[in-house]
Amino acid sequence: MRIPAWIVSPAFILLALLAWELVVRALNVPAYLLPPPSSIFASMERSLLVHLAVTLGEALAGFLLASVLAFLAALAFVRSPTLERGLFPLAVTLKTTPLVAIAPLLVLWMGTGWSSKIAAAALICFFPVLVNAVKGLKAADAEYYELFRAMKASRRQEFRKLRIPFCLPYLYSALKISSSLAIVGAIVGEFVGATQGLGYLIMISSSHLETDALFSAIFAAALAGIAVFQLLGWIEQRVVFWQSVEAE
Amino acid sequence: MSAVLAHVAALAPPCIEVERLGVRFGALSVIEDLSITIRQHEFVSLLGPSGCGKSTLLRIIAGLIPAASGTVRLGGQPNAAALRLSIMFQKPLLLPWRTALENVLLPLEIEREGGKTSSLDVARAERIVARVRLQGFEGAYPHQLSGGMQQRVALARALISDPEVLLLDEPFGALDEMTRDALNQELLRIWRSENARLKTVVMVTHSIQEAVSMSDRIVVLAARPARLRQAVDVSLPHPRDCDSAEFSRIQGRVRQLVRSEA
């Protein structure tokens, strides 16, 4: 009998959890170091959902903000090489500076509310979208541009009918990457100063040695990341059906 | 019959006049002092060793590259806007997110202000798709079509704006020989059909046989920088018999000219 494909991955996860449970119980590992999955699931409360929703909301807002800004920046860069030469190094600097180093500044400037988390998520998402959008907007063969010029297409038509559709698969790969990064950004923002969210939950429960609550927050973050990634992949096959590209 | 045709062609008004053309890419002289006159209703092939500037010449005629010196006149006018002109490359260059029919409609969409095509335009695209024998594939996406079919779509797209001049840069060069022959025959059929506005075809090719079987005149270019080596008239009636003695004689002569350059 063949095993259906969709069942393989959940089955392995269940097996891993089972092994974890058995090993922790057999070796009598203290719960503050590594609680068994059963007590992690038991510790999950309704408030976990609220924290998860807060973090996801911040991540989504940051992700959308960054995607729009990065795509607009990419359009400007492709239109003006001077702008690209001038501003691209700045974007690289932003990318290479660790978010954990910038996050305290964001909280200092914007407070412990949601805006600093949105900014953190946006910062971490901006660069992958920018790089891939610029690459995508230039992705068509040189001969496509000759073809469009021979058809006497305007610059606007060239963007709308050639460059932007060519860019979509690149943009989409970048969005898949940034969607998981956005959750990381929001959590890092919450580490620095927050009153709710998964990052806040992780900080609080680790300082109280509530390791099972800590794990429940980690599980929630991981599940959310996987779910968003899968969702985007599912949409991708329907929107940019003609090709998929590997993002940088 | 063929003699009469050649006579008519010699009297037809010039369509593309290239005079003392020079092109440089930086320090490199690509084309030097090249003069060719192509008349209306002529099918001209550009032949020469690879890298000799044939494609560059085609792009200059299309107005895609500026000339460094000399002039190119289309329909007696110094700019490319004077004639309706379509270009087709070796790659089909279809937009992968559009169906075959939508790809064929692209030039009309670009031409129409606002980008909206009418039902008349669609009907016309359907007719042209049928003319390149792709009925039934209007809704197919490029990745669902074979290389030969993709190139048919590209040909239909080049024809939909009803061009007076068709510029072909090795249009079927990437296809297998059987497909290429079939497409060449259809191209000839379309060029010779009465109701098309298409008058003049300029085709870059590597294949001597293709040039002899298609063209009224074969322009053999000398290599680097490209100059006019010699023009060979082919006054055989269509359809041409590739096995006839006359065909072989012309083919042999052209081959000699090309060899002396390579």
Side-chain angles (χ1 to χ4, degrees):
Chain A
M1 192 186 97
R2 277 186 55 85
I3 303 162
W6 61 269
I7 220 166
V8 174
S9 169
F12 268 86
I13 291 173
L14 275 179
L15 274 179
L17 287 176
L18 192 66
W20 177 352
E21 181 86 32
L22 292 176
V23 168
V24 167
R25 282 179 190 277
L27 299 181
N28 260 327
V29 180
Y32 71 89
L33 280 185
L34 186 63
S38 58
S39 66
I40 295 173
F41 288 117
S43 78
M44 288 184 175
E45 296 166 8
R46 188 176 281 273
S47 66
L48 181 65
L49 277 180
V50 176
H51 289 300
L52 177 64
V54 166
T55 303
L56 274 183
E58 290 161 353
L60 182 68
F63 166 76
L64 290 176
L65 183 70
S67 304
V68 170
L69 290 180
F71 187 66
L72 290 178
L75 281 177
F77 280 10
V78 171
R79 279 205 160 216
S80 158
T82 318
L83 208 61
E84 182 176 3
R85 267 195 296 277
L87 289 181
F88 204 74
L90 196 72
V92 175
T93 315
L94 207 65
K95 149 87 181 161
T96 46
T97 314
L99 184 66
V100 277
I102 309 176
L105 261 184
L106 296 175
V107 173
L108 190 66
W109 289 340
M110 300 180 207
T112 53
W114 46 266
S115 55
S116 54
K117 283 70 185 175
I118 292 175
L123 266 179
I124 206 170
C125 293
F126 185 78
F127 196 77
V129 178
L130 176 69
V131 170
N132 285 286
V134 167
K135 198 170 150 196
L137 287 171
K138 295 176 177 171
D141 267 348
E143 286 181 325
Y144 275 105
Y145 300 118
E146 291 191 319
L147 184 74
F148 267 65
R149 274 172 55 209
M151 291 180 201
K152 304 196 168 55
S154 66
R155 193 117 161 92
R156 191 184 148 81
Q157 286 172 324
E158 185 191 285
F159 265 87
R160 285 189 44 184
K161 293 186 191 297
L162 181 65
R163 284 186 190 261
I164 291 176
F166 247 102
C167 182
L168 283 181
Y170 290 82
L171 201 60
Y172 220 86
S173 312
L175 294 186
K176 269 202 297 195
I177 287 188
S178 341
S179 65
S180 356
L181 287 179
I183 294 173
V184 174
I187 288 176
V188 169
E190 287 161 359
F191 276 175
V192 180
T195 51
Q196 49 185 352
L198 291 178
Y200 165 79
L201 187 63
I202 291 169
M203 290 302 278
I204 293 297
S205 45
S206 78
S207 61
H208 293 177
L209 276 187
E210 292 167 357
T211 314
D212 43 6
L214 174 61
F215 264 104
S216 68
I218 294 173
F219 278 13
L223 276 178
I226 293 170
V228 172
F229 190 85
Q230 292 289 334
L231 178 71
L232 282 170
W234 185 83
I235 298 172
E236 178 179 30
Q237 285 170 8
R238 279 145 191 88
V239 179
V240 286
F241 56 86
W242 61 90
Q243 71 177 126
S244 72
V245 294
E246 290 298 317
E248 292 200 331
Chain B
M1 161 73 179
S2 60
V4 173
L5 270 181
H7 187 62
V8 169
L11 288 180
C15 177
I16 302 165
E17 296 163 277
V18 178
E19 240 179 79
R20 311 213 58 173
L21 177 72
V23 181
R24 313 184 65 84
F25 291 157
L28 185 73
S29 179
V30 185
I31 297 177
E32 210 171 86
D33 201 18
L34 180 72
S35 299
I36 303 170
T37 300
I38 295 166
R39 295 182 175 278
Q40 280 182 19
H41 298 286
E42 244 192 325
F43 193 127
V44 172
S45 288
L46 303 177
L47 204 62
S50 54
C52 81
K54 307 178 294 267
S55 298
T56 307
L57 177 59
L58 208 68
R59 281 168 170 77
I60 289 198
I61 294 172
L64 296 172
I65 307 177
S69 60
T71 54
V72 175
R73 294 159 70 86
L74 294 177
Q77 304 292 314
N79 59 342
L83 286 178
R84 295 178 74 86
L85 186 147
S86 279
I87 190 162
M88 186 178 160
F89 298 94
Q90 183 171 8
K91 286 185 231 155
L93 301 176
L94 303 178
L95 303 179
W97 52 88
R98 284 170 171 253
T99 63
L101 194 73
E102 287 164 351
N103 266 291
V104 173
L105 276 167
L106 179 69
L108 294 185
E109 258 177 59
I110 285 174
E111 206 175 296
R112 309 265 185 276
E113 290 297 323
K116 281 275 166 284
T117 48
S118 65
S119 54
L120 270 171
D121 293 334
V122 175
R124 187 155 124 203
E126 278 166 350
R127 265 205 316 281
I128 291 193
V129 166
R131 219 156 88 191
V132 297
R133 299 180 199 241
L134 274 178
Q135 306 99 303
F137 292 93
E138 289 87 350
Y141 286 95
H143 67 264
Q144 299 167 322
L145 299 172
S146 70
M149 290 163 104
Q150 290 183 17
Q151 206 55 313
R152 280 169 203 257
V153 176
L155 178 61
R157 181 182 59 192
L159 291 171
I160 194 163
S161 49
D162 211 1
E164 292 151 282
V165 180
L166 190 56
L167 304 174
L168 306 168
D169 192 357
E170 294 185 51
F172 311 126
L175 305 175
D176 63 87
E177 204 178 327
M178 280 167 69
T179 312
R180 189 170 69 205
D181 283 348
L183 286 177
N184 275 336
Q185 288 317 308
E186 288 187 17
L187 178 60
L188 275 179
R189 184 171 56 82
I190 289 163
W191 172 61
R192 288 157 54 79
S193 79
E194 292 290 326
N195 48 16
R197 182 141 61 134
L198 180 64
K199 295 182 173 70
T200 309
V201 181
V202 184
M203 178 171 78
V204 167
T205 175
H206 273 130
S207 159
I208 293 167
Q209 200 221 333
E210 186 176 68
V212 177
S213 69
M214 307 276 287
S215 12
D216 299 320
R217 197 148 54 103
I218 300 167
V219 172
V220 181
L221 296 175
R224 278 168 234 200
R227 281 154 292 119
L228 180 63
R229 180 75 174 80
Q230 196 165 348
V232 178
D233 285 314
V234 187
S235 47
L236 298 170
H238 289 283
R240 289 175 180 172
D241 176 8
C242 302
D243 300 321
S244 74
E246 184 65 6
F247 193 98
S248 312
R249 192 188 63 79
I250 296 170
Q251 204 174 329
R253 190 162 151 233
V254 174
R255 184 169 292 123
Q256 235 171 9
L257 282 169
V258 173
R259 275 212 186 121
S260 65
E261 277 314 317

